[in-house]
């Protein structure tokens, strides 16, 4: 199934828990209550298998046109068991847990500058299609609780200091981000 940029998909369809095979494109995992981005991934990836017991609080939004396949969670688990894919499955779980933990650790109890610094590095690691169509401020705002004005102030100072290059709000290059601000 093809989903366009900005479209959302949910983990339940007709009261059946689903997971998604991301075949092409990039998506972000959002928390339902406040819409904050918890993680973003690019194809190939499997979504929805590491949150088997709590996914009603999460949804997936396409960051660009993406191709996904829907598989019931029950079928996914049966395939893992039938084909003895436990090692591969455990690596996926470890990767996913590590990404979410890293995100949480980076945005909690850090200064606004430290959070923005981390998010700018993350943004530079996104695929070009995402990075070139997302302003740095929007990317940071969607993943943190920082105010837009605070984000804009720090980005402006980083541009003035020639630490980053941006054009129309899009991050083009990081020259050097100082450890302390």
């Amino acid at each position: 199934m093809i989903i366009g940029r900005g479209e959302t998909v949910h983990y339940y369809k007709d009261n059946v828990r689903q997971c998604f095979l991301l075949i092409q494109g990039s998506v972000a995992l959002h928390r339902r209550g406040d819409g904050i981005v918890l993680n973003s991934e690019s194809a190939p990836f499997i979504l929805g298998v590491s949150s088997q017991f709590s996914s009603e609080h999460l949804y997936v939004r396409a960051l660009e046109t993406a191709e996904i396949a829907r598989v019931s969670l029950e079928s996914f688990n049966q395939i893992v068991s039938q084909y003895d894919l436990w090692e591969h499955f455990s690596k996926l779980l470890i990767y996913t847990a590590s990404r979410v933990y890293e995100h949480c650790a980076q945005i909690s109890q850090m200064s606004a500058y430290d959070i923005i610094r981390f998010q700018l590095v993350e943004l530079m690691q996104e695929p070009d299609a995402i990075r070139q169509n997302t302003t740095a401020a929007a990317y940071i705002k969607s993943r943190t609780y920082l105010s837009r004005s605070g984000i804009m102030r720090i980005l402006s100072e980083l541009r003035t200091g020639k630490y980053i290059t941006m054009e129309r709000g899009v991050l083009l290059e990081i020259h050097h981000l100082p450890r302390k601000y």
Side-chain angles (χ1 to χ4, degrees), residues 51-171:
S51 58
Q52 294 193 24
F53 304 111
S54 61
S55 62
E56 66 273 3
H57 303 292
L58 305 171
Y59 64 94
V60 174
R61 179 178 304 238
L63 296 172
E64 61 183 331
T65 300
E67 181 180 358
I68 62 170
R70 228 183 248 275
V71 177
S72 76
L73 187 57
E74 182 179 347
S75 295
F76 176 86
N77 288 334
Q78 286 173 351
I79 291 167
V80 168
S81 182
Q82 180 180 354
Y83 292 98
D84 198 27
L85 298 171
W86 297 109
E87 181 179 352
H88 298 289
F89 184 43
S90 68
K91 288 178 181 178
L92 174 65
L93 293 176
I94 290 167
Y95 170 80
T96 303
S98 297
R99 290 272 298 179
V100 173
Y101 173 79
E102 180 181 339
H103 172 79
C104 292
Q106 292 293 336
I107 67 167
S108 63
Q109 299 185 350
M110 295 174 64
S111 71
Y113 172 73
D114 289 334
I115 294 169
I116 290 172
R117 183 180 190 277
F118 173 76
Q119 293 297 322
L120 287 172
V121 171
E122 289 284 300
L123 177 56
M124 283 302 293
Q125 293 172 357
E126 293 284 1
D128 285 345
I130 303 302
R131 195 170 41 80
Q132 294 172 359
N133 290 299
T134 307
T135 66
Y139 183 88
I140 295 165
K141 181 79 177 108
S142 72
R143 287 161 171 75
T144 69
Y145 289 112
L146 298 176
S147 69
R148 179 170 166 70
S149 62
I151 293 167
M152 296 302 287
R153 179 181 49 80
I154 291 172
L155 289 176
S156 175
E157 291 172 5
L158 289 172
R159 277 183 70 180
T160 301
K162 308 250 188 265
Y163 295 110
I164 61 174
T165 302
M166 293 190 343
E167 187 175 305
R168 293 187 336 251
V170 173
L171 181 64

Side-chain angles (χ1 to χ4, degrees), residues 1-10 20-30 41 47 59-70 130:
M1 120 198 237
I2 304 295
I3 57 173
R5 181 180 183 196
E7 285 187 54
T8 62
V9 289
H10 299 274
F20 304 108
L21 308 177
L22 180 59
I23 298 165
Q24 185 175 353
S26 300
V27 298
L29 180 65
H30 291 260
E41 291 296 342
L47 296 137
Y59 64 94
V60 174
R61 179 178 304 238
L63 296 172
E64 61 183 331
T65 300
E67 181 180 358
I68 62 170
R70 228 183 248 275
I130 303 302

